[in-house]
Amino acid sequence: MNWRDEAARGLPAPRDDEPASLRQDILDELADHFYCALGRELAKNLPPDEAVKNVRRRFGDPRAIARTLWFDARKEQIMSQRLTIAMMVLVACTSIVSAGFAWMAIRESRTANSALLQQIAETNAKSLAQLTQLAAKVPSAGTASDLRPVKCHLVLGKKGGPPAVGFAVHLESPQNSPFPSQSEKSDQNGNVDFGVVPYGAYALTVTHPQRNGQSPFLYETTWKTITVRPQSSISEEIVCPPAPLRPVDCRLQFDWPADLSPTSNFWIVCQVHQSGREFDGWQWRGGFENVVLTLTPGGEILFSGGRFTQYLRSEGAPVIDRVRFDPGIRTPHPFPSASGFDSALGSFREWTEQRYQITDLAIVRARDGHWPPGDAADRQRAGTEFPVLGWCTYSESRFTPFSADVNFPPDLPRTRPRLGSHSGKLEFMVKSSPPAFEPVYGKKNLIRIALPDTLLDQVRDVYEQAKKYNLQTPGRSKQADDVAADAKIGTHFLMSIGLAWQSYPPTQQGQNRLAVGATSGLFLSGGVIVVRIADDAKSPAVRAGLKSSDILIALDGWTVADAADVGSVVRHAKGKKSLTFLALRGEGAGSHLVSGQLDVPPSVQEAK
Amino acid sequence: MDSRLLSGTVEMLILDVIAHDRSYGYEIAQRVLGRSNGYFQLTEGSLYPALHRLERQRLVTSFWEEVDGRRRKYYRLTPAGKKALAAKRQEWTAFARGVSGVLGAADELA
């Protein structure tokens, strides 16, 4: 029998999905092997029968080999097909089960939907019946009889006065009204006719005519809500200012006590309410409703704008803010506006002939060298801080200046009233009528304002405590180069005495410790926090007893807030081999002051 | 020869034989036999399944040529096959060195 045919018998029955050449390839390869082996045997001069016999003996069963090769080639596809069939069966079973569940759910929801539809139909029927009853009672909207006339007559100064010509009058339609809002100008007789409008509540706004050269902040406006009712008409007489709001010559002067030297950089920050003018019950207002002014005790306005009472009440920090001056601001007014922080309060432009009311007032201490901003470089500087010495509000409400929940160390005398037994929160208030004034046009208005004794006592107490420590605040040069040079000296000094440090942010962590400092008369707006002490027992920092996380607040009697301050002190302490330091140590109730002597390393002395 | 010793090394031997030139089934078996001095006699029942397995693993590739009126299937090593051969060689060397070490120590003890 042909050996090739014998091998072919071992192959399974042909399948539709097998490659066309698979069988042929297997048989050809095995046949080639067989003939090669046979050729080799015949080359040994063996008889053909014996040669074939030898080859067969060594080759084994050709059918088994062919079948193995065929199965090996088809194994992956066969397994894949079996897996596919199994998956299909599984999917089919899952589908049948899902369909069963879906059918059950549909049957249940159909019942529920029927009940819901019936309920909705009943509700609709009831609503329709109620609407029909209401429609029978109320006349239909939009008919000619429901549109009512609205007219205004504008007069100057007082009721029955001469006609006010050219005033802009705006009638704002109610929300969702199909009728548009209207804007008109009063005619030669002071009349404005809006025609007929549907009944409803309208906002009526009247604006003074704009004049050439007048600041847009001084445009006066009045407003009123009018209600148009069925079967009635509106004919409003509006009393307008007889003349535009005019700037006045006005200056505030505070009754400053002689024992508090005005040369100590005391400033007064006050929130001023601009009440506007009133004419026969019509309130007119121009500019912002509230402004914040920072003045010298002599009444010179330094700048306007900024947060005041809101900030103190909500955040309670002992420092008003770090004021930054936007170099892009160009103002024709003699004092700039502070900017750089969010403020709901508008900038102040000038005094005008209207009523003013001071609602809040604080006394702060400024650092030297920051004010007034002389040039662009100075305005671009980081800014200045205003440690608050005392403040008050003229309202009846209480507020907490700062909420440091600490127990003050017994060795630090408290300088402000301490209310309540459960915490160290400080509270005070001033019950008095708010100072109010109304400058007159054409006159020199000198407004004298008496400061509350309670407020001055607070300032006096804290000021006296400050004297106890005899701390002063170093002045700063206006030149950025000088400040940078001081910062370099300060950094060199701090590193030479063996400590790593960073500036202490006044409004972030450790605020309680600053509060403790403030109540002890140390008007701290920052300090140099000691981060790490060098591991060297001979270093001046270790010998002085400084520890990690101490806040270095004063050197040689001067407060220090950063490396530049330290450098300034070191530079001026010529010839001194050691400097007295003051530091805050501990957190919360454990905060206390420590002091000692810091040796000035020779290298720093030489550098000076 | 104990066939269990040959188990796992057939593929390495095949890859090595066709590492430098193409070859076909019968020739591969003869080369293995010759290079092993008649020690490794690959039977067709193990040679061809191993060759086809290597082909499916993309370690060898094949092509057909006509010789003496017959179709002959030649095998050649792929780049992946070369890498696999190098790895198997390294593995075998470490294995052989380990076995020799143990057997050597046993000889010394004896």
Side-chain angles (χ1 to χ4, degrees), chain A residues 82-127:
Chain A
R82 287 178 182 171
L83 197 63
T84 304
I85 290 169
M87 288 298 294
M88 287 174 67
V89 170
L90 187 67
V91 169
C93 292
T94 308
S95 300
I96 291 169
V97 171
S98 301
F101 279 120
W103 180 77
M104 289 169 64
I106 288 170
R107 197 175 59 174
E108 288 178 5
S109 69
R110 189 179 296 164
T111 310
N113 284 344
S114 299
L116 191 62
L117 284 172
Q118 190 175 354
Q119 194 176 353
I120 290 171
E122 289 172 2
T123 308
N124 284 346
K126 284 180 186 173
S127 302

Side-chain angles (χ1 to χ4, degrees), chain A residues 28-29 32-33 36 40 58, chain B residues 26 44 48 52 71 75:
Chain A
D28 283 352
E29 188 174 23
D32 179 54
H33 185 100
C36 287
R40 187 178 180 85
R58 212 165 36 234
Chain B
Y26 180 77
E44 289 72 4
Y48 286 101
H52 287 203
R71 289 175 76 223
Y75 295 91

Side-chain angles (χ1 to χ4, degrees), chain A residues 1 4 15 28 36 41 43 129 135 148 192 216 237 262 273 283 344 365 393 413 417 441 460 533 554 568 574 603-604:
Chain A
M1 185 178 63
R4 183 189 177 90
R15 295 168 62 103
D28 283 352
C36 287
E41 292 298 319
R148 309 308 307 166
V192 174
E237 187 183 44
H273 177 76
Q283 187 73 33
R365 194 176 70 169
T393 178
Y441 178 73
R460 206 170 274 122
I533 303 288
S568 174
K574 291 178 180 175
S603 64
V604 176

Side-chain angles (χ1 to χ4, degrees), chain A residues 424-447:
Chain A
K425 289 183 179 178
L426 305 176
E427 292 185 352
F428 62 88
M429 64 179 183
V430 176
K431 291 185 177 180
S432 63
S433 299
F437 53 95
E438 189 166 355
V440 180
Y441 178 73
K443 291 185 178 179
K444 281 188 176 294
N445 298 274
L446 184 63
I447 311 297

